[in-house]
Amino acid sequence: MSTMQAPDVSHLVDLERYPIDDLASPKRRELIENAKASLRESGLASFPGFLTEKGLATCVAEVEILKSKAYARDLLRFIYPQETLDPSLPADHPFRKPQPLIQRMLSADIFDGESELRKIYEWGGLPPFFAEILDQSVHHIVDPFLSLAVIMMNNGQTHDWHFDGNDWVVTLLLQRPESGGEFEFVPHTRDKANPGLDRVEAVLRGTSEEVISVSQDAGTLVLFYGDQSLHRVAPSNGTRDRMVAAFSYDNAPGFVFNEKVHMNASGRTTPLYVSPRLSAMADAAN
């Protein structure tokens, strides 16, 4: 394992409110138990005010400097692979309508070793904290493109209804748009025993009464069961970007996505920057 000094995040994260790196702290245990209860109830656990006021301003300023390097994505994606649907479904059925994904993404390799957002991701406090909440192993992934990313949306851009491809996701809201940009979801839409098709169809037809809309404050950290709960980011209106950092983890050390995923996310397969800390983690995993 790497012996290099761990990143200092005390100027970024409110460690008094969230002493998650203090394993003996009763407050940490309370945070874990509250998060477990929230996940059981709705599939979402939030930690408002995770960043200090100064830390939030620092991270937003960092993204503002870098955002001209973002990779634009304008896609149409189906909630369900079309080949898996009942062939008798008509062409105008909601399941046959693709959902828009329109955003700009700053991939991890744009954030160099001086990046404050990278310090938060590579800090050792979060993986064991999430591991206790989720009751599973949690490790940083070592992917040079997608270990962390910042996703930006404005002027009506959206990531419409979808399920995630992984069980859970971690996000950190950095900035709200002028209006819109709410996170909307249907708690525990599906599970292994029930795909929840009727519930998804009701959402797409606009008849569901189960949709929860969350307007989070900037600086909020979120842990969300994205594979179980149908969700979307409502259109973000105005010229001010909705900015959210996404942190990626895996149950085993050393995970890296393939080149096709890298190309789809960043438009590149050769990274601009490779983190020495993540490289050391990759070497230790091999």
Side-chain angles (χ1 to χ4, degrees), residues 65-230:
I65 292 171
L66 297 172
K67 71 179 185 179
S68 63
K69 300 180 181 181
Y71 182 67
R73 306 175 75 202
D74 188 344
L75 308 172
L76 289 172
R77 304 201 300 189
F78 293 100
I79 294 177
Y80 301 110
Q82 295 301 283
E83 65 273 13
T84 67
L85 297 179
D86 183 340
S88 67
L89 289 181
D92 62 352
H93 191 280
F95 291 172
R96 298 205 182 278
K97 179 184 177 182
Q99 304 293 306
L101 185 165
I102 309 170
Q103 60 185 207
R104 292 116 58 222
M105 178 183 287
L106 290 167
S107 53
D109 64 319
I110 293 174
F111 298 93
D112 64 19
E114 299 302 312
S115 163
E116 302 287 43
L117 277 168
R118 180 175 288 283
K119 289 176 186 175
I120 297 171
Y121 176 71
E122 295 186 4
W123 174 48
L126 286 173
F129 180 63
F130 294 140
E132 289 194 57
I133 294 171
L134 297 165
D135 292 318
Q136 57 186 259
S137 298
V138 174
H139 298 268
H140 291 100
I141 71 167
V142 298
D143 193 291
F145 293 95
L146 291 169
S147 52
L148 70 146
V150 170
I151 299 162
M152 297 172 288
M153 289 181 270
N154 65 5
N155 293 326
Q157 294 177 328
T158 182
H159 190 176
D160 221 335
W161 295 109
H162 65 287
F163 292 102
D164 292 333
N166 44 324
D167 291 343
W168 49 272
V169 296
V170 175
T171 58
L172 177 60
L173 184 65
L174 301 177
Q175 180 171 274
R176 292 170 58 170
E178 291 166 30
S179 65
E182 297 87 0
F183 183 72
E184 301 180 343
F185 68 106
V186 177
H188 304 300
T189 317
R190 66 181 184 181
D191 56 34
K192 292 180 180 179
N194 185 348
L197 297 179
D198 291 344
R199 302 174 74 190
V200 174
E201 182 175 349
V203 172
L204 299 180
R205 292 191 184 278
T207 60
S208 175
E209 297 181 355
E210 297 184 276
V211 176
I212 294 175
S213 181
V214 179
S215 185
Q216 298 158 343
D217 291 329
T220 298
L221 183 75
V222 169
L223 176 61
F224 177 63
Y225 283 145
D227 181 59
Q228 296 178 5
S229 298
L230 184 71

Side-chain angles (χ1 to χ4, degrees), residues 229-249:
S229 298
L230 184 71
H231 59 285
R232 76 164 186 162
V233 176
S236 297
N237 303 315
T239 57
R240 185 172 67 235
D241 281 310
R242 181 187 193 270
M243 295 179 184
V244 62
F247 297 156
S248 294
Y249 303 91

